[in-house]
Amino acid sequence: MSQVWLHIIGIFALVFFGVLVLILIWQTNGAKQWRLLNAAQQHYDNSEALRAMTHKMNEEARLQLQEANQTLMDLYASIKNAEEELLLLLE
């Protein structure tokens, strides 16, 4: 009879340790998934920050191009006026 109890205790011990191993594996996989989720969120945050910075730099470049274009148009107008005045003086 004592051997039956030993077998029953052995089976319960094996089941207990098997469940314990499964819980540890499940927790490890959960931790991996959590780290992957955090890495994906960090990557998304970084890409959003990069997108916002790129948008800001594009806007600044567009404004600088507008200013340069206006300066060139003003310079062209000045040259045309000087050319007209020079032609009037030569007449």
Side-chain angles (χ1 to χ4, degrees):
M1 187 70 176
S2 66
Q3 283 189 350
V4 172
W5 283 109
L6 285 176
H7 281 87
I8 291 172
I9 291 171
I11 290 171
F12 279 126
L14 285 174
V15 169
F16 174 76
F17 286 116
V19 169
L20 185 64
V21 167
L22 288 176
I23 289 172
L24 288 173
I25 290 171
W26 177 66
Q27 288 294 325
T28 303
N29 284 339
K32 285 181 186 176
Q33 289 174 354
W34 187 254
R35 285 193 302 268
L36 287 174
L37 181 63
N38 284 339
Q41 182 65 40
Q42 184 67 34
H43 177 71
Y44 176 77
D45 292 344
N46 288 344
S47 65
E48 282 296 310
L50 182 62
R51 186 190 62 77
M53 184 174 65
T54 303
H55 178 72
K56 180 182 175 190
M57 291 174 67
N58 284 342
E59 187 64 23
E60 290 174 358
R62 186 183 64 78
L63 291 174
Q64 288 176 352
L65 283 173
Q66 281 181 342
E67 289 175 10
N69 189 34
Q70 186 60 44
T71 302
L72 285 174
M73 287 174 32
D74 293 344
L75 183 62
Y76 180 76
S78 296
I79 290 172
K80 279 296 187 183
N81 286 339
E83 182 183 18
E84 288 174 5
E85 289 177 10
L86 185 60
L87 288 174
L88 288 175
L89 286 174
L90 289 176
E91 287 181 357

